Amino acid sequence: MSTQLSDILQLTIAERIQLAEDIWDSVAAFPEAVPLTDAQKEELDRRLRAHATNPDEGISWDEMKDRLRTSA
C-alpha cells in the first residue's frame, strides 16, 4: 500500500481524523511493539509510588474528562 500525503490531504477533516484514529488503534493493538524508554519507565514507577503513598490524591479519569468537557 502506497498512500501519498497528497491523497490524504484530499480527504475531509472528518475522514483524516478517522484515519488517524484507525492508525492509532492499529498501533495500540500491539503495545509490546512500542517499548518504553528508561525515562518513561522511571516516570511510571514514580507515579505508582506516589499513588501508593497517597491514593486519595488526584482525580479519576472520569472526573478529568468531565472537567475538560465543562471547561470548553
Side-chain angles (χ1 to χ4, degrees):
M1 178 175 103
S2 175
T3 302
Q4 298 294 319
L5 178 59
S6 59
D7 295 333
I8 294 170
L9 295 176
Q10 297 297 317
L11 299 172
T12 67
I13 296 294
E15 291 169 328
R16 284 187 264 165
I17 291 170
Q18 185 61 56
L19 176 60
E21 289 176 358
D22 293 344
I23 291 169
W24 181 254
D25 288 345
S26 73
V27 171
F30 301 96
E32 67 281 356
V34 185
L36 296 175
T37 66
D38 287 340
Q40 290 168 323
K41 290 175 188 175
E42 289 170 12
E43 178 62 16
L44 287 172
D45 288 341
R46 183 192 69 75
R47 292 180 186 198
L48 284 170
R49 284 191 308 273
H51 176 68
T53 301
N54 192 355
D56 294 326
E57 190 170 309
I59 62 173
S60 71
W61 177 235
D62 288 332
E63 288 176 86
M64 177 54 90
K65 288 189 290 188
D66 289 342
R67 285 186 186 184
L68 290 171
R69 286 185 186 115
T70 58
S71 69

